[in-house]
Amino acid sequence: MDITILGIESSCDDTSAAVIRNRTLLSNVIASQAVHQKYGGVIPELASRAHQQNIIPVVDTALKEAGITIDKVDAIAFTRGPGLLGSLLVGVSFAKGLSIARNIPLVEVNHLEGHILSHFVDMPDREIPHPDFPFLCLLVSGGHTQIVRVDAPTKMEIIGTTIDDAAGEAFDKCAKVMGLPYPGGPVIDRLAKEGNPETFKFAKPHVEGAYDYSFSGLKTSFLYTLRDAVKENPNFVEENKADLCASLQKTIVDILLDKLVKASKATGIKDIAIAGGVSANSGLRNGIEAMGRRRGWRTFLPEFKFTTDNAAMIATAGHYRYMAGELSSLEVSPVARLQDL
């Protein structure tokens, strides 16, 4: 029997809706919010207001592009958290209202699990390789950096996490110090291709957790390097921007891969995936592929359109939970923090 899922994603500053049938993607619509760029970061109140404006046309467009009507949807999957509470509230409330109006079951989804399961979105025109269970997923985004052991679509264990800043946060904050536009990660990635990654050396953390991360020391090291150099040469950043970006990117990738290698050795797992916004970074993608060749890994990189927040991954995660009979109550509330899910 065909199972059709409508996915709704509103955890941060992208309003997205998608339709999948038996994990095959029929539509994936995303409305991004350019309003935050001039502030150098996402403004929660502006984000939630934009979601309110976008969600109805986005869902309507997703259904039309999929060629279905709402009465053909078997379940509505929505992001419950983590994320910005006001943004989540818009998506959760809309999903509830649609559920009541059309008597359609609800399925709540952990946003981070959605990123991981983006590797299982099937395309209508081609086959995409999927990792086998169990596999390890390095989840890297602006707010989270984790190594997750995935034993099944609904059975995941975080075995490593950041104790302070996330990798994406390190990229964005260091970019801001250099005067680069927001979001800084893609700009650093572009400039890094023009620079020498061996020019500068930045601090690499040593944390107690076997697979845990820390990026606050790296940010401090980067800041001090710029502060001291600018005292002697006010044009230092402009003259060395490409090399700074290349060196910073290499350091972050080295930190990420070091713990991932340790986790693979300890678990014996050699199917390795990456997910999240930072998985679009070319240095990380090239680095994990090179490491995979050396260590005999099967590596899985998400398509670029699935690295950012999107509803296709939410619908896919919802598909698995629906098939497992894990339906959500109308009493459910959005949750901002991962530990509260």
Side-chain angles (χ1 to χ4, degrees), residues 40 141-142 166-178 180-188 219 248 252:
S141 68
E169 190 176 2
F171 273 122
D172 286 340
K173 288 184 176 179
C174 290
K176 191 171 185 178
V177 171
M178 288 188 286
L180 301 179
Y182 175 86
V187 181
I188 288 178
K219 286 194 316 177
L248 174 67
I252 292 176

Side-chain angles (χ1 to χ4, degrees), residues 148-171:
V148 182
R149 176 180 173 133
V150 186
D151 290 302
T154 58
K155 185 180 179 182
M156 304 183 190
E157 178 188 3
I158 299 171
I159 62 174
T161 189
T162 180
I163 63 173
D164 43 55
D165 296 333
E169 190 176 2
F171 273 122

Side-chain angles (χ1 to χ4, degrees), residues 187-197 241-242 245-247 249:
V187 181
I188 288 178
D189 190 15
R190 176 175 56 80
L191 291 172
K193 297 172 183 176
E194 305 169 8
N196 181 357
K241 193 171 290 183
C245 290
S247 300
Q249 180 164 285

Side-chain angles (χ1 to χ4, degrees), residues 12-14 31-44 46-47 50 172 175-176 179-187 308:
C12 190
D13 61 337
D14 288 324
S32 299
Q33 302 175 6
V35 66
H36 307 285
Q37 292 179 353
K38 64 180 179 179
Y39 298 105
V42 176
I43 307 301
L46 295 180
D172 286 340
K176 191 171 185 178
L180 301 179
Y182 175 86
V187 181
T308 56

Side-chain angles (χ1 to χ4, degrees), residues 306-320:
F306 297 138
T307 58
T308 56
D309 294 344
N310 65 90
M313 67 185 193
I314 302 303
T316 301
H319 167 87
Y320 285 113

Side-chain angles (χ1 to χ4, degrees), residues 4 12 21 23 41 48 57 66 74 81 84 90 121 137 152 154 158 160 179 271 274 284 312 318 322 341:
T4 302
C12 190
R21 179 175 294 135
R23 284 200 353 237
S48 58
D74 293 292
L84 300 176
V90 175
V121 179
C137 185
T154 58
I158 299 171
D271 269 24
I274 57 174
L284 178 57
Y322 179 78
L341 277 172

Side-chain angles (χ1 to χ4, degrees), residues 138-142 145 167-172 174-175 178 180 183-194 197 215 218 242 244-257 273-290 300-308:
L138 174 63
L139 177 61
V140 274
S141 68
T145 300
E169 190 176 2
F171 273 122
D172 286 340
C174 290
M178 288 188 286
L180 301 179
V187 181
I188 288 178
D189 190 15
R190 176 175 56 80
L191 291 172
K193 297 172 183 176
E194 305 169 8
F215 292 97
L218 167 62
L244 285 166
C245 290
S247 300
L248 174 67
Q249 180 164 285
K250 180 180 184 302
T251 303
I252 292 176
V253 171
D254 286 348
I255 293 170
L256 291 170
L257 293 182
I274 57 174
V278 182
S279 66
N281 180 273
S282 64
L284 178 57
R285 295 172 82 92
N286 294 336
I288 198 169
E289 286 189 317
F300 298 87
L301 312 180
E303 293 197 10
F304 286 107
K305 61 185 175 183
F306 297 138
T307 58
T308 56

